[in-house]
C-alpha cells in the first residue's frame, strides 16, 4: 500500500526502526513539551528510563568508541568569526563514533544511522561541542512533531506494520516529514565510519569581531570513499563490524574529514532543521579534522563528556531552532543520570568492570 510516494510495504521496517532507535528521545521530547498528560518532572523522567538502560551508558547511541585527533583550521572562516578555533593552526579534538541504537550491546548492522560527536578545545580554553549524524536534515520542524512521527509509524500489534491512516494523518500535520521518510526507506547503509558524511542539522551564526552575523550549517565531508553494504553484506556483517573497521584503518593511517560550512542566503530558513538549504549556497572549508586513534570509552575520556550541541565558543551564536533547544535538555538528563550511576557504583560494564555474579 502507498501513501503518496511512500511505499509502506517496503519502508515499514525502516519506519519501525526509527521508533526503536529514538524511543528515549521521543519520551524526552514529550517531557520537554509537556505532552505526557501531567507534566513530568526531571526525576520522573530519569526514573522512567533508568530500568531500560544499562547503568552508566548514554540514553541513546549507547554503543560507541572514543577518538583523539586534531582540527587544522584553513583560515577561511576567520573573516566571518573571531572564534579561536578558526584562527589557531591546530586544535585538539576529543570525540566519539557511535551507531544509532539505544543499546550499548547492539549489533553494528542493526541501524543505518552512524554518528560522530566531538569537542574542540581552543588555546583560550573555550570549547565547541557538537553531535552529528549521517542525515542531512531533521524529520520535522519541531520536537512535538518528531514525537508524533514516532507514534504514527509505530507498528500496529495486529499487523506488525504502521497503520496507513495514522501515517497519513501525521503527514497532513507535518508534510515536511515526507521527504525524510522517503529518504530513510532507501538510505544506504554505511559499511564504515571512515566514508560517512556527518551533518550538523541545525543552523548557527558565525559572529565576526565587528558584530556581523552569518548563518551557516556545517558537515564533515570524508576524504575516504563512501561504501555501502549490500543487503547480503549487511546480513553477514559481524557484531562489531564498524568499530573493528575503523580501528583497523587507523593502524595504517589517520582518517580525515573536511569541515564544510554552507552559508545561508537571505530568506533561507534558519530556525527549521527539517528544511535543507539549496545546494547552490556558498560553501567554505573551515578546516580538516584528523582522527589519529580510537580507544574504549570505559575510562571516561569521551564517555563522561556531554556533547551538547548548544555549547559553542565566543564568535558563534545559536539560532532559535526549537529542536536544538530541546536537545540541550535531553543531553543534560542523560549526562546527569549516567554520572550519578557511575558515581554511586551502579555502573559496571560502562567503567570496564564485570558485574558481580
Amino acid at each position: 500500500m502507498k501513501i503518496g510516494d511512500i511505499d509502506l510495504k517496503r519502508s515499514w521496517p525502516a519506519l519501525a526502526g526509527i521508533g526503536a532507535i529514538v524511543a528515549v528521545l521521543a519520551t524526552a521530547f514529550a517531557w520537554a513539551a509537556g505532552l505526557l498528560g501531567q507534566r513530568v518532572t526531571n526525576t520522573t523522567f530519569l526514573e522512567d528510563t533508568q530500568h531500560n538502560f544499562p547503568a552508566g551508558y548514554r540514553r541513546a547511541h549507547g554503543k560507541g568508541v572514543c577518538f583523539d585527533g586534531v582540527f587544522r583550521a584553513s583560515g577561511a572562516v576567520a573573516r566571518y568569526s573571531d572564534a579561536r578555533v578558526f584562527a589557531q593552526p591546530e586544535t585538539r579534538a576529543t570525540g566519539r563514533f557511535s551507531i544509532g541504537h539505544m543499546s550499548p550491546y547492539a549489533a553494528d548492522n542493526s541501524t543505518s544511522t552512524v554518528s560522530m560527536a566531538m569537542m574542540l578545545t581552543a588555546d583560550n580554553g573555550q570549547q565547541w561541542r557538537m553531535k552529528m549524524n549521517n542525515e542531512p536534515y531533521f524529520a520535522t520542524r519541531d520536537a512535538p512533531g518528531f514525537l508524533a512521527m514516532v507514534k504514527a509509524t509505530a507498528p500496529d500489534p495486529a499487523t506488525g506494520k504502521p497503520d496507513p491512516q495514522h501515517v497519513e494523518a501525521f503527514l497532513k500535520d507535518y508534510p515536511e516529514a515526507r521527504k525524510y521518510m522517503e529518504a530513510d526507506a532507501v538510505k544506504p547503509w554505511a559499511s564504515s565510519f571512515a566514508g560517512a558524511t556527518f551533518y550538523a542539522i541545525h543552523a548557527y551564526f558565525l559572529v565576526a569581531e565587528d558584530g556581523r552575523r552569518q548563518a551557516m550549517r556545517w558537515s564533515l565531508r570524508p576524504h575516504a570513499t563512501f561504501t555501502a553494504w549490500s543487503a547480503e553484506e549487511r546480513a553477514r556483517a559481524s557484531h562489531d563490524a564498524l568499530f573493528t573497521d575503523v580501528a583497523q584503518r587507523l593502524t595504517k593511517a589517520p582518517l580525515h574529514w573536511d569541515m564544510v560550512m554552507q552559508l545561508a542566503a537571505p530568506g533561507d530558513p534558519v530556525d527549521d532543521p527539517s528544511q535543507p538549504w539549496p545546494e547552490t549556497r556558498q560553501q567554505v572549508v573551515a578546516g580538516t579534522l584528523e582522527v589519529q586513534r580510537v580507544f574504549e570509552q570505559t575510562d571516561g575520556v569521551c564517555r563522561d563528556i556531554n556533547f551538547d550541541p548548544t555549547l559553542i565558543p565566543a564568535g558563534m551564536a545559536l539560532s532559535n531552532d526549537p529542536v536544538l533547544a530541546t536537545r540541550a535538555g535531553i543531553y543534560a538528563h542523560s549526562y546527569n543520570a549516567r554520572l550519578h550511576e557511575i558515581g554511586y557504583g551502579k555502573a559496571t560494564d560502562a567503567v570496564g568492570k564485570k558485574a558481580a555474579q
Side-chain angles (χ1 to χ4, degrees), residues 30-54:
W31 169 85
L35 299 176
L36 296 180
Q38 295 182 345
R39 190 172 183 85
V40 182
T41 66
N42 294 4
T43 302
T44 302
F45 170 75
L46 295 175
E47 287 175 349
D48 288 345
T49 60
Q50 232 172 15
H51 69 278
N52 291 327
F53 295 89

Side-chain angles (χ1 to χ4, degrees), residues 278-289:
E279 294 182 2
T280 55
R281 294 294 180 259
Q282 180 183 355
Q283 296 185 355
V284 179
V285 178
T288 299
L289 169 68

Side-chain angles (χ1 to χ4, degrees), residues 96-113:
R96 184 175 184 265
F97 293 112
S98 65
I99 60 172
H101 198 291
M102 293 181 293
S103 172
Y105 311 118
D108 289 1
N109 60 359
S110 62
T111 171
S112 63
T113 300

Side-chain angles (χ1 to χ4, degrees), residues 183-205:
D184 190 77
V186 297
K187 178 181 175 182
W189 290 61
S191 64
S192 174
F193 289 111
T197 299
F198 297 103
Y199 299 90
I201 59 174
H202 308 289
Y204 295 78
F205 290 96

Side-chain angles (χ1 to χ4, degrees), residues 122-161:
D123 55 12
N124 61 1
Q126 295 195 358
Q127 295 180 345
W128 180 11
R129 304 190 191 190
M130 57 194 84
K131 174 67 171 63
M132 301 152 287
N133 292 336
N134 60 333
E135 297 174 341
Y137 47 81
F138 198 63
T140 58
R141 62 185 179 271
D142 57 29
F146 189 76
L147 175 62
M149 184 181 74
V150 172
K151 292 181 177 179
T153 58
D156 185 319
T159 64
K161 302 176 183 179

Side-chain angles (χ1 to χ4, degrees), residues 78 131 198 227 241 248 282 316 319 324:
K131 174 67 171 63
F198 297 103
T227 57
Q248 290 178 343
Q282 180 183 355
M316 294 179 64
S319 65
L324 178 60

